[in-house]
Amino acid sequence: MAEDPDPLPKPHSLKPKAFDRVNAPGGASVDPNDIRLTLADNLNRANKAGLNDVMPPPPRRSRRRRDYLLAMVFGNLVLIVGTIIMPVFGAAGLIIYNVGLTWIVWGVMDDY
């Protein structure tokens, strides 16, 4: 047998290339792969640039008191008309409405 019927494939690989580091890190980190030094350097740069100075927005004015007073005035006006027609049911409606509205607005609902 002069030739091997199943020769081994030729090994292919890329030749090693030497390269020049063009953009070397200019920060305080000595080793560019040390993540803690890189993150600390990024944090210091962001602090110096003022990127981490966050102010919360001012609180907005609540509309709860206005809505409560409007509901009390108009709801009681409607129930006072009912008190003229049927006094016992109108008085009970006024009590239940005022206590229920007060509990819902100031006890259950969140500030909006």
Side-chain angles (χ1 to χ4, degrees):
M1 293 201 144
E3 284 187 30
D4 191 11
D6 193 17
L8 293 175
K10 292 182 181 179
H12 296 287
S13 65
L14 300 173
K15 69 178 186 175
K17 292 185 178 181
F19 61 92
D20 297 330
R21 185 175 293 269
V22 176
N23 53 354
S29 62
V30 176
D31 183 15
N33 294 327
D34 188 9
I35 190 67
R36 288 186 178 91
L37 292 176
T38 304
L39 288 175
D41 185 38
N42 288 343
L43 180 64
N44 289 335
R45 287 182 189 179
N47 285 337
K48 287 178 185 175
L51 298 176
N52 293 333
D53 299 334
V54 178
M55 296 296 295
R60 59 187 166 96
R61 237 179 120 177
S62 177
R63 297 182 309 265
R64 185 164 47 167
R65 180 179 298 158
R66 182 199 62 188
D67 293 344
Y68 174 73
L69 292 175
L70 286 174
M72 284 295 260
V73 168
F74 291 120
N76 284 327
L77 286 176
V78 169
L79 289 172
I80 286 174
V81 172
T83 305
I84 294 171
I85 297 171
M86 296 284 280
V88 174
F89 295 123
L94 281 170
I95 292 170
I96 291 172
Y97 178 75
N98 288 328
V99 170
L101 182 67
T102 304
W103 169 247
I104 289 172
V105 170
W106 300 107
V108 175
M109 288 177 59
D110 196 15
D111 196 15
Y112 63 95

